[in-house]
Amino acid sequence: MFATSLPAPRLRLLCFPFAGGGASAYRAWGAALEADGIEVWPVQLPGRENRMGEPAADDLTALVRRLADEFGDDLVRLPYAFFGHSMGACVAYELAREIRRRGLPEPARVIASAHRAPHWPALGPTCHDLPRDEFVARLREYGGTPEEVFAMPDLLDLLVPLLQKDFALFERHRWSAGEPLDCPLTVLGALEDTVSAQELAGWEELTTGPFEVRMVRGDHFYLLDAQEQAIRTVRELLVTR
């Protein structure tokens, strides 16, 4: 869904969504990057958009194993990179680790966006296990969900269970120590996000390859609010490096 198919791509970019999000968040990326030879594959996780009828995953280890099964054969055919935003950053990094455990080539680059280093403990309490009304109130605090959604009970009834499972996906995950990746790792942070510079810098411990933190304008949902900026930054990382 929303994937581009190029006759002779030089690189394939797999994009992983934020909590509650789907492949449509990357709808415009394929057309924007195809001139650079980048074939964009927005990854549609179960339980959302055209996969709404499937149960959403709430175990990160099981999810990345399933993704490795599905994409493993495609990752040996040409160079590839991962981009993951918020929850998707955890999915992207853990998938890169799983791929290496299977003896497959690592990504040409992992781009982790708007999430603390996954081996650092969370600073606040978990959200996925809050009572429904408290969970909805917390969503309002985070921002990113249109206010109109909160006025539509039927839509909330669909959205809240998915979001709770997505939050559980990374909140319940227990970090397993292991060798760092060897590939380049770039972390994107937003200037108005609550993820601190220290939490972003912590990702450096997770690769022996080149590492950098880049700050972009916007808040946690800059990916949607400043889409052109996000695409431009990713293009710079994948084309000029």
Side-chain angles (χ1 to χ4, degrees):
M1 188 179 187
F2 308 118
T4 53
S5 180
L6 304 181
R10 67 171 192 81
L11 182 127
R12 180 171 291 140
L13 175 64
L14 278 67
C15 299
F16 300 91
F18 45 86
S24 63
Y26 302 103
R27 183 196 305 264
W29 286 43
L33 294 172
E34 64 181 1
D36 300 297
I38 299 172
E39 187 174 81
V40 178
W41 284 14
V43 177
Q44 190 74 290
L45 300 180
R48 62 213 75 211
E49 297 181 346
N50 66 323
R51 300 184 69 180
M52 186 68 75
E54 302 175 43
D58 59 4
D59 182 278
L60 184 55
T61 299
L63 176 62
V64 298
R65 287 174 179 166
R66 180 176 175 183
L67 292 172
D69 290 341
E70 293 179 0
F71 291 112
D73 290 344
D74 296 306
L75 303 182
V76 298
R77 294 173 180 161
L78 76 159
Y80 69 95
F82 288 162
F83 176 92
H85 183 77
S86 195
M87 176 191 78
C90 292
V91 176
Y93 186 80
E94 288 293 349
L95 180 56
R97 296 177 82 196
E98 176 64 20
I99 286 168
R100 189 177 64 175
R101 282 192 288 268
R102 298 186 182 202
L104 299 174
E106 290 187 20
R109 183 179 296 271
V110 173
I111 305 173
S113 171
H115 199 283
R116 62 176 171 79
H119 61 308
W120 283 34
L123 296 178
T126 59
C127 295
H128 73 273
D129 50 358
L130 289 173
R132 184 182 187 279
D133 289 347
E134 292 182 36
F135 183 80
V136 171
R138 189 69 61 86
L139 288 181
R140 268 199 166 101
E141 293 175 9
Y142 285 150
T145 303
E147 191 60 32
E148 295 82 358
V149 171
F150 296 107
M152 302 172 69
D154 290 344
L155 182 55
L156 268 183
D157 286 344
L158 290 174
L159 185 60
V160 166
L162 170 61
L163 281 164
Q164 287 176 318
K165 284 193 173 184
D166 278 358
F167 274 72
L169 194 73
F170 61 87
E171 288 183 343
R172 297 199 314 206
H173 182 64
R174 294 296 173 261
W175 174 259
S176 174
E179 291 297 316
L181 297 177
D182 296 319
C183 65
L185 173 59
T186 302
V187 176
L188 303 184
L191 292 169
E192 298 172 32
D193 197 359
T194 57
V195 183
S196 71
Q198 187 178 22
E199 289 174 311
L200 297 172
W203 283 88
E204 185 172 12
E205 300 169 5
L206 303 183
T207 185
T208 62
F211 174 82
E212 68 172 322
V213 175
R214 284 197 178 196
M215 302 303 295
V216 298
R217 297 185 306 277
D219 59 16
H220 188 72
F221 286 96
Y222 80 88
L223 183 74
L224 303 179
D225 299 334
Q227 184 173 241
E228 290 184 5
Q229 174 190 214
I231 294 172
R232 183 171 62 251
T233 302
V234 170
R235 176 187 288 113
E236 291 173 1
L237 290 169
L238 298 179
V239 173
T240 62
R241 299 302 174 99

